Amino acid sequence: MKNTNWKETAELVGIAAIVASLLVLAYEVNQSGKHLELAASADAVDNFAQAMETLVQDEELSGLIYRAEQTYHELDEFEKWRVGRYLDGYMSMSEQDYLVLIQIGGMEIAGFVDDMREYMDMRMYREYWVQSENRHGPEFQQFVNELLVDLDSK
């Protein structure tokens, strides 16, 4: 009888050790996920900062973007093409950031939405979007189109 009790006790201890190991592993995976989320959020901020730094440091580009924001319809075809390529890069970066931020949620996404609302309220972004919407994934298309509907309703 004593052998059976020891055997059952050893099995229970083994099961408890497995459960404890799984709990520790779950905690470590959770912590790792939080670190990845923070890194992704930092990358989104860095991407935006780099885009703005490029714009500010390149006087010719910043002048062109400024004119496009004011009077897009007055640009010649080559200038519109250049603005379009800049916006391709910017919107692709924005799409990448959006997909990361919707997974994280929280305050980061709220700030991103505010920024995108401001940009999409400018004529050059709207004209770009009409011509290039299909270059972006369905989730981002839906997000931007909902922003435009919201902007148009005000």
Side-chain angles (χ1 to χ4, degrees), residues 101-118:
L101 291 172
I102 59 172
Q103 293 174 0
I104 296 171
M107 294 299 292
E108 294 86 356
I109 190 70
F112 177 83
V113 170
D114 290 343
D115 289 344
M116 287 298 295
R117 181 175 284 115
E118 180 182 332

Side-chain angles (χ1 to χ4, degrees), residues 35-125:
H35 290 294
L36 289 174
E37 288 175 359
L38 289 173
S41 180
D43 284 347
V45 170
D46 287 346
N47 287 342
F48 182 77
Q50 286 176 346
M52 293 302 104
E53 184 177 344
T54 299
L55 182 61
V56 170
Q57 289 181 350
D58 186 332
E59 192 172 321
E60 182 186 358
L61 177 61
S62 59
L64 178 60
I65 297 299
Y66 179 80
R67 284 191 307 119
E69 288 175 355
Q70 306 304 312
T71 56
Y72 183 83
H73 61 282
E74 293 178 9
L75 298 180
D76 65 35
E77 290 306 308
F78 180 66
E79 290 172 323
K80 287 180 181 179
W81 178 84
R82 286 186 66 201
V83 168
R85 296 311 59 82
Y86 174 80
L87 293 177
D88 278 342
Y90 181 80
M91 292 299 275
S92 293
M93 177 197 66
S94 296
E95 179 175 13
Q96 174 189 356
D97 292 346
Y98 171 75
L99 294 173
V100 168
L101 291 172
I102 59 172
Q103 293 174 0
I104 296 171
M107 294 299 292
E108 294 86 356
I109 190 70
F112 177 83
V113 170
D114 290 343
D115 289 344
M116 287 298 295
R117 181 175 284 115
E118 180 182 332
Y119 292 124
M120 294 312 295
D121 202 24
M122 294 181 209
R123 181 177 176 157
M124 74 172 190
Y125 283 90

Side-chain angles (χ1 to χ4, degrees), residues 6-24:
W6 280 107
K7 183 179 176 183
E8 289 174 0
T9 301
E11 285 177 2
L12 288 174
V13 169
I15 290 171
I18 291 171
V19 169
S21 295
L22 289 174
L23 290 174
V24 168

Side-chain angles (χ1 to χ4, degrees), residues 130-148:
V130 167
Q131 297 171 11
S132 65
E133 174 182 355
N134 62 351
R135 296 181 193 157
H136 300 279
E139 286 181 81
F140 190 64
Q141 286 180 20
Q142 180 179 352
F143 165 71
V144 172
N145 288 329
E146 287 174 1
L147 276 181
L148 291 173

